[in-house]
Amino acid sequence: MTIVKTTYNRRSFLKVTALSGGGMLLGFNWFMNVVPPGKTGAAALAAAGVDLNGFIQITSQGEVTIFSPNPEFGQNLMTSLPMIVAEELDVDWKNVRVEQARFNTELYTRQMAGGSQSIRQTWQALRTAGASARHMLVQAAAQAWQVPAAEIRTENGVLSHSSGKTAGYGELAAAAAQIPVPKEIQLKEVKDFKIVSTPRQNVEGANIVTGKPMFTMDYRREGMLIAMLTHPPAFGMQLKSFDAAEAKAMPGIRDVFSIQVYQEGYEKEVFDTCTFNDLVVVVGNSTWEVLNAKKALRIEWEPIATRTEIQKFWGGQKREVTIPGGLENSTGHQQRMETEGAKSAKVARRDGDPETAFKNAARVIERSYSAPFLAHNCMEPMNCFAHVTADKAELVGPVQAPEMVEKTLAARLGLPLDKIDIQLARMGGGFGRRAYGQYMVEAAVISQRLNAPIKLIYTREDDMSYGIYRPAYHATYRAALDADKNLIGFHVTAGGIPESPLHANRFPAGAIDNYLAEEWAIPSNITIGAFRAPRSNFIAGAEQSFLDELAEAMGKDPIEFRLELLQRAKTNPVGQNNDYDPGRYAGVLELVREKSGWAKGKKSKTARGVAAYFCHNSYAAHVIDLTAKKGKITVEKVTSALDCGIIVNPLGASNMVEGAVTDGIGNAFYGGLRFKDGQPEQNNFNTYRMIRMPEAPKAIEVHFVKNDIPPTGLGEPPFPPVFGAIANALYKATGKRSYHQPFLADERVVD
């Protein structure tokens, strides 16, 4: 039995309202606290609490509407979050209508999608809201029928009593609205769930497949103009001057001018990442006319000077960051990373005496790994509708962190927060890119300048060359073995441009007596940001590749070797700060070993690779089977095992894993953005290689560890270990180790 309070503090409460015409509206607001101390940057997005609020609306006709407040970009939150409410409300799911809630900071605190935290941070809140509404309906029935509340039962939205009296929720909704919200409530036992943990179709499915306008790209408004931007062609450059005479004279063009995204002296908030602050804007009647006018612009660019900026991070922390001048090159990036990786660096963790262990080793194995910048490549490029007047700003756009950009908009436009109206649109992909809402600021500034409604549209080339990429990374691993091939020392040095990917307290930390983790970073003027499973998306692949090579050198089965280390971490851990549960980590390895039919020495027609990783509070493991025939790599099957606690919607959860696996394979094989003199060498899909339909795995089999642990992250955890599993399978197929991404670099350019 689980009893929870419905009020936690002054900013958490349930509130019931009577609907006109009969019915009840239950609003709930939980302030899900703050970022843990010490969390900054992209890691904070993963660690930060996500505060979710919403409404349950029951009309007198018995119609139940559940509003889903979090932004939706394919995670299927609009199905899974309402399922949690409906479970405790005890209503028939087929009678529930789901709507995207409007963005409202008064009702919905911190409406954010990121860090795989939406379900984790709202699990108890949503359950409490549903259970409270059900309690109030029961109390209303007890009063109406003059029977004890304990004798009333609910099922599928119907209240009943042994006397034969029954009523639908709608009949008693108005009366329930007069019942005080309980101070505490009893939640269901997990074993009694009827909706949660059962597969449910996406509530938006019909709208998606029938092409109903759902995205901002489809948004129309009478009198709306089209705006597009031109930014410097290279990082390290800025606007000097421009001649727009020819462009202005072209058909359909209303105006051409320059804007500053952020004004001089503005202190940027956490997600106020902006690559190019001075931009040239073309505004016209249609997309085609504006595209043609962009080509007629005559613009001069000039180099930037090295500067420093104060960047804000989670928890109110601030940091001075150097942004160097100069035009950067990928060849130079790789050389600098290799040089830094060979040096001693900042110590992030030290256990035992690693120096002595390596000095006394019978054998030292050392390997280095690297990966390039990656573009997010959301299928829907950045875009936003804006209509700014003297006293109000209305925006419609795909954004992951609307509350963050709302504050920035208010500051930039000179309007109070209550005059900023952001309507949430479904996103055509997010992956962390849409946490940075500078495109919404750009749209608002353009609309304010014109005093007209506009829609800002990025071309694919704009989107891919604008920045906010996954950083370039490098890691060097060293292992010390004694004469009996026992692992006696472990050393990792990791860094990147412009941040380190190191997670010093993750596995295999805690499993090795002598352990050293160091990190470094190289400043850059190429802007970076959160990319699906920040930092983990590189370091997991490097680590898991090295562990496989180490297992081979020690004469051990790769899974058995990992399980041995995890057993040590469980029974006799080294250090106090290990941030993973070795038992749950081992659980996904054991499950994937069973389900994939993995066995030491077993012959297979395919080459097999395994990898596992912990991030975003969850555990994931994959076994990948592939073949290499006549130089063609085919992924035959992927077997995945996940431990992310209770699965709310098994169908949606499996889809998430399948998407992460396919995405990971594509990035591992082909993903890479290279620079020459500061300019991206790829700016569209004819040069930036993405995975194609025939290259997706022929089969993906997803399995979940069954437990009663409250849900943890799922959108990101399956992604990082894909890189290691692919690398390890490629070695089995080709006999060659893959140390540098993309692994199939020669196929990066589309024929």
Side-chain angles (χ1 to χ4, degrees):
M1 181 183 297
T2 303
I3 305 293
V4 298
K5 295 185 181 299
T6 61
T7 301
Y8 300 105
N9 55 47
R10 66 184 180 87
R11 291 198 66 182
S12 62
F13 58 88
L14 280 164
K15 182 178 181 181
V16 65
T17 306
L19 292 175
S20 60
M24 69 181 293
L25 183 69
L26 187 70
F28 47 104
N29 184 329
W30 277 269
F31 185 70
M32 301 298 286
N33 55 332
V34 294
V35 181
K39 298 287 185 182
T40 60
L45 184 60
V50 180
D51 307 333
L52 185 88
N53 332 335
F55 289 107
I56 304 168
Q57 178 179 291
I58 304 175
T59 69
S60 58
Q61 291 76 37
E63 297 170 345
V64 178
T65 300
I66 300 176
F67 293 87
S68 182
N70 273 31
E72 173 70 62
F73 57 81
Q75 328 93 296
N76 209 10
L77 289 177
M78 282 188 68
T79 304
S80 54
L81 296 182
M83 283 176 66
I84 300 169
V85 178
E87 178 65 71
E88 294 289 351
L89 182 59
D90 212 358
V91 66
D92 192 332
W93 179 249
K94 70 181 181 183
N95 295 328
V96 171
R97 188 165 64 96
V98 177
E99 290 187 13
Q100 173 70 59
R102 289 179 66 90
F103 173 66
N104 188 318
T105 53
E106 292 298 319
L107 298 176
Y108 310 115
T109 306
R110 286 179 63 84
Q111 286 174 276
M112 179 188 292
S116 298
Q117 296 294 295
S118 294
I119 291 179
R120 176 175 180 257
Q121 293 291 347
T122 59
W123 170 248
Q124 184 164 302
L126 293 169
R127 294 184 68 192
T128 302
S132 296
R134 175 183 170 277
H135 169 90
M136 294 157 69
L137 288 160
V138 168
Q139 293 297 321
Q143 290 181 11
W145 299 339
Q146 294 297 296
V147 298
E151 296 180 3
I152 295 175
R153 298 289 177 265
T154 62
E155 185 175 9
N156 291 334
V158 176
L159 299 130
S160 62
H161 184 257
S162 57
S163 63
K165 294 179 179 179
T166 63
Y169 282 1
E171 297 174 61
L172 291 166
Q178 308 304 317
I179 302 292
V181 176
K183 293 183 178 180
E184 59 181 27
I185 196 70
Q186 179 178 335
L187 302 180
K188 283 186 178 182
E189 298 296 327
V190 174
K191 64 180 177 60
D192 296 326
F193 284 168
K194 298 177 182 177
I195 297 175
V196 168
S197 297
T198 63
R200 305 288 169 165
Q201 295 289 338
N202 188 333
V203 297
E204 290 273 82
N207 291 334
I208 294 170
V209 299
T210 57
K212 180 179 178 180
M214 306 169 66
F215 303 95
T216 315
M217 286 293 246
D218 302 314
Y219 193 81
R220 298 287 184 272
R221 179 75 66 84
E222 185 176 350
M224 181 184 78
L225 301 174
I226 299 297
M228 289 187 174
L229 305 171
T230 297
H231 62 70
F235 295 88
M237 301 293 287
Q238 63 186 3
L239 177 64
K240 181 180 180 181
S241 64
F242 68 97
D243 180 352
E246 183 181 347
K248 283 185 175 182
M250 296 179 72
I253 300 305
R254 296 294 190 92
D255 204 352
V256 180
F257 51 88
S258 64
I259 63 167
Q260 279 193 325
V261 184
Y262 302 115
Q263 294 172 314
E264 296 296 332
Y266 171 69
E267 194 170 86
K268 295 178 181 178
E269 297 293 335
V270 175
F271 287 130
D272 285 344
T273 301
C274 177
T275 303
F276 305 109
N277 198 52
D278 295 285
L279 305 164
V280 179
V281 180
V282 180
V283 182
N285 294 330
S286 70
T287 304
W288 179 248
E289 289 168 327
V290 173
L291 277 170
N292 286 325
K294 276 186 65 175
K295 299 173 184 176
L297 292 171
R298 301 292 180 262
I299 306 177
E300 277 193 88
W301 313 101
E302 63 183 0
I304 67 169
T306 297
R307 67 182 191 276
T308 58
E309 282 188 356
I310 301 298
Q311 289 187 1
K312 286 186 180 179
F313 293 87
W314 291 99
Q317 298 183 45
K318 297 181 182 180
R319 184 186 303 167
E320 187 175 86
V321 175
T322 298
I323 301 172
L327 303 179
E328 301 179 24
N329 293 277
S330 291
T331 52
H333 287 160
Q334 186 67 25
Q335 291 169 0
R336 290 192 65 186
M337 290 196 297
E338 290 174 359
T339 298
E340 288 296 321
K343 300 177 183 177
S344 295
K346 177 184 176 182
V347 175
R349 174 165 173 159
R350 181 194 299 273
D351 294 328
D353 186 356
E355 288 82 4
T356 299
F358 278 93
K359 181 180 179 181
N360 296 334
R363 182 184 178 188
V364 173
I365 300 172
E366 178 176 326
R367 301 290 184 266
S368 292
Y369 306 82
S370 68
F373 286 90
L374 294 178
H376 290 82
N377 290 334
C378 305
M379 287 298 100
E380 175 199 23
M382 302 307 112
N383 66 98
C384 181
F385 168 84
H387 188 194
V388 180
T389 61
D391 58 1
K392 183 181 180 181
E394 180 187 0
L395 294 100
V396 181
V399 60
Q400 289 182 238
E403 186 176 357
M404 303 299 183
V405 75
E406 180 192 47
K407 295 174 182 176
T408 301
L409 284 164
R412 181 64 180 87
L413 300 174
L415 292 171
L417 276 174
D418 62 359
K419 298 300 181 182
I420 307 293
D421 177 19
I422 299 175
Q423 298 175 36
L424 300 180
R426 188 180 184 91
M427 290 173 263
F431 316 112
R433 172 60 182 92
R434 297 191 204 270
Y436 308 91
Q438 96 293 329
Y439 51 94
M440 300 189 79
V441 180
E442 293 162 356
V445 171
I446 294 167
S447 177
Q448 186 179 55
R449 163 85 177 246
L450 294 168
N451 192 28
I454 67 100
K455 181 160 68 175
L456 173 67
I457 299 174
Y458 281 29
T459 65
R460 176 60 59 191
E461 290 84 358
D462 294 333
D463 201 58
M464 201 178 290
S465 60
Y466 195 96
I468 315 186
Y469 306 119
R470 199 286 301 269
Y473 289 127
H474 185 280
T476 296
Y477 284 85
R478 299 169 66 228
L481 305 180
D482 65 15
D484 296 320
K485 297 184 179 181
N486 296 310
L487 179 60
I488 60 173
F490 195 92
H491 177 202
V492 54
T493 303
I497 302 172
E499 69 169 18
S500 166
L502 184 69
H503 291 278
N505 296 321
R506 290 187 183 169
F507 180 79
I512 302 165
D513 289 326
N514 304 298
Y515 174 89
L516 177 63
E518 300 177 288
E519 61 182 348
W520 48 269
I522 298 171
S524 173
N525 55 44
I526 298 172
T527 49
I528 59 98
F531 188 105
R532 194 174 195 167
R535 300 188 292 159
S536 299
N537 55 47
F538 165 73
I539 202 70
E543 166 203 291
Q544 292 292 306
S545 295
F546 185 69
L547 289 178
D548 244 46
E549 191 162 354
L550 187 53
E552 183 180 57
M554 297 169 70
K556 296 186 176 184
D557 173 76
I559 293 181
E560 285 297 333
F561 174 53
R562 289 168 172 82
L563 290 173
E564 287 175 11
L565 291 173
L566 288 163
Q567 183 62 27
R568 166 66 196 279
K570 181 178 180 178
T571 59
N572 187 22
V574 180
Q576 303 297 317
N577 299 318
N578 308 323
D579 63 1
Y580 61 95
D581 181 328
R584 293 182 70 186
Y585 203 132
V588 293
L589 277 166
E590 290 166 347
L591 182 60
V592 83
R593 177 173 61 179
E594 173 197 344
K595 297 299 183 180
S596 68
W598 182 283
K600 185 177 181 180
K602 181 181 178 181
K603 292 184 178 181
S604 174
K605 294 181 180 179
T606 61
R608 320 192 81 187
V610 66
Y613 197 68
F614 160 78
C615 70
H616 297 81
N617 313 105
S618 295
Y619 303 80
H622 304 295
V623 168
I624 292 181
D625 290 74
L626 58 79
T627 57
K629 297 178 181 178
K630 297 181 180 180
K632 181 182 179 182
I633 304 297
T634 301
V635 179
E636 302 289 345
K637 183 179 180 181
V638 180
T639 307
S640 303
L642 283 294
D643 182 349
C644 54
I646 295 169
I647 303 299
V648 176
N649 182 4
L651 179 60
S654 294
N655 292 160
M656 290 279 278
V657 177
E658 291 161 355
V661 166
T662 305
D663 192 17
I665 291 170
N667 279 288
F669 278 167
Y670 314 117
L673 190 68
R674 294 183 58 81
F675 296 86
K676 183 176 182 181
D677 295 331
Q679 186 168 353
E681 291 188 303
Q682 298 82 33
N683 65 9
N684 209 320
F685 294 136
N686 65 319
T687 51
Y688 192 107
R689 181 76 154 83
M690 302 285 286
I691 192 169
R692 302 165 181 168
M693 291 284 191
E695 295 164 338
K698 291 183 178 180
I700 303 176
E701 192 177 282
V702 182
H703 303 275
F704 294 99
V705 174
K706 295 181 180 179
N707 56 45
D708 292 345
I709 298 171
T712 50
L714 182 58
E716 289 159 287
F719 186 66
V722 173
F723 295 81
I726 276 288
N728 294 332
L730 282 173
Y731 168 67
K732 296 292 178 62
T734 66
K736 295 173 60 177
R737 294 281 180 185
S738 298
Y739 298 109
H740 307 291
Q741 296 173 26
F743 300 145
L744 304 183
D746 58 328
E747 295 190 32
R748 182 167 50 240
V749 178
V750 178
D751 296 330

